Short mmCIF file of all heavy atoms in Angstrom, two decimals:
data_model
loop_
_atom_site.label_atom_id
_atom_site.label_comp_id
_atom_site.label_asym_id
_atom_site.label_seq_id
_atom_site.Cartn_x
_atom_site.Cartn_y
_atom_site.Cartn_z
N LEU J 204 -11.18 -19.26 -0.34
CA LEU J 204 -10.56 -20.57 -0.22
C LEU J 204 -10.22 -21.18 -1.58
O LEU J 204 -9.21 -21.87 -1.74
CB LEU J 204 -11.48 -21.52 0.55
CG LEU J 204 -11.48 -21.37 2.06
CD1 LEU J 204 -12.63 -22.15 2.67
CD2 LEU J 204 -10.15 -21.81 2.67
N THR J 205 -11.05 -20.92 -2.57
CA THR J 205 -10.87 -21.58 -3.86
C THR J 205 -10.10 -20.74 -4.88
O THR J 205 -9.74 -21.24 -5.95
CB THR J 205 -12.24 -21.94 -4.47
OG1 THR J 205 -13.07 -20.76 -4.53
CG2 THR J 205 -12.94 -22.99 -3.62
N THR J 206 -9.82 -19.46 -4.57
CA THR J 206 -9.10 -18.61 -5.54
C THR J 206 -7.90 -17.89 -4.92
O THR J 206 -7.02 -17.44 -5.66
CB THR J 206 -10.03 -17.54 -6.13
OG1 THR J 206 -10.48 -16.67 -5.08
CG2 THR J 206 -11.23 -18.18 -6.81
N GLY J 207 -7.86 -17.75 -3.60
CA GLY J 207 -6.75 -17.03 -2.98
C GLY J 207 -6.75 -15.54 -3.21
O GLY J 207 -5.73 -14.87 -3.01
N VAL J 208 -7.88 -14.94 -3.63
CA VAL J 208 -7.92 -13.49 -3.86
C VAL J 208 -7.79 -12.76 -2.53
O VAL J 208 -8.07 -13.30 -1.46
CB VAL J 208 -9.22 -13.05 -4.57
CG1 VAL J 208 -9.32 -13.66 -5.96
CG2 VAL J 208 -10.45 -13.40 -3.73
N ARG J 209 -7.32 -11.52 -2.59
CA ARG J 209 -7.16 -10.70 -1.40
C ARG J 209 -8.52 -10.28 -0.87
O ARG J 209 -9.52 -10.27 -1.59
CB ARG J 209 -6.31 -9.47 -1.70
CG ARG J 209 -4.91 -9.82 -2.23
CD ARG J 209 -4.14 -8.55 -2.61
NE ARG J 209 -2.80 -8.85 -3.12
CZ ARG J 209 -2.50 -9.01 -4.41
NH1 ARG J 209 -3.45 -8.90 -5.32
NH2 ARG J 209 -1.27 -9.27 -4.77
N ARG J 210 -8.55 -9.88 0.42
CA ARG J 210 -9.81 -9.51 1.04
C ARG J 210 -10.56 -8.44 0.25
O ARG J 210 -11.73 -8.59 -0.09
CB ARG J 210 -9.58 -9.00 2.47
CG ARG J 210 -10.85 -8.69 3.24
CD ARG J 210 -10.68 -7.66 4.35
NE ARG J 210 -9.48 -7.84 5.13
CZ ARG J 210 -9.10 -7.01 6.11
NH1 ARG J 210 -9.85 -5.94 6.39
NH2 ARG J 210 -7.99 -7.21 6.78
N GLY J 211 -9.86 -7.32 -0.05
CA GLY J 211 -10.51 -6.22 -0.76
C GLY J 211 -10.95 -6.58 -2.15
O GLY J 211 -11.98 -6.10 -2.64
N GLU J 212 -10.19 -7.46 -2.82
CA GLU J 212 -10.54 -7.89 -4.16
C GLU J 212 -11.84 -8.69 -4.16
O GLU J 212 -12.69 -8.52 -5.05
CB GLU J 212 -9.42 -8.73 -4.76
CG GLU J 212 -8.14 -7.96 -5.02
CD GLU J 212 -6.98 -8.85 -5.44
OE1 GLU J 212 -7.07 -10.09 -5.22
OE2 GLU J 212 -5.97 -8.33 -5.97
N GLY J 213 -12.00 -9.55 -3.17
CA GLY J 213 -13.22 -10.35 -3.08
C GLY J 213 -14.43 -9.48 -2.77
O GLY J 213 -15.47 -9.60 -3.41
N LEU J 214 -14.28 -8.59 -1.78
CA LEU J 214 -15.39 -7.73 -1.40
C LEU J 214 -15.76 -6.75 -2.51
O LEU J 214 -16.91 -6.33 -2.63
CB LEU J 214 -15.04 -6.93 -0.13
CG LEU J 214 -14.76 -7.75 1.13
CD1 LEU J 214 -14.46 -6.83 2.31
CD2 LEU J 214 -15.94 -8.66 1.47
N GLY J 215 -14.78 -6.38 -3.35
CA GLY J 215 -15.02 -5.43 -4.43
C GLY J 215 -15.43 -6.06 -5.74
O GLY J 215 -15.54 -5.36 -6.75
N LEU J 216 -15.63 -7.38 -5.74
CA LEU J 216 -16.04 -8.06 -6.97
C LEU J 216 -17.45 -7.62 -7.37
O LEU J 216 -18.39 -7.78 -6.60
CB LEU J 216 -16.00 -9.57 -6.77
CG LEU J 216 -16.44 -10.43 -7.96
CD1 LEU J 216 -15.54 -10.19 -9.18
CD2 LEU J 216 -16.44 -11.91 -7.59
#
Side-chain angles (χ1 to χ4, degrees):
L204 281 168
T205 54
T206 64
V208 297
R209 302 176 180 93
R210 185 205 317 177
E212 293 172 344
L214 298 181
L216 179 61

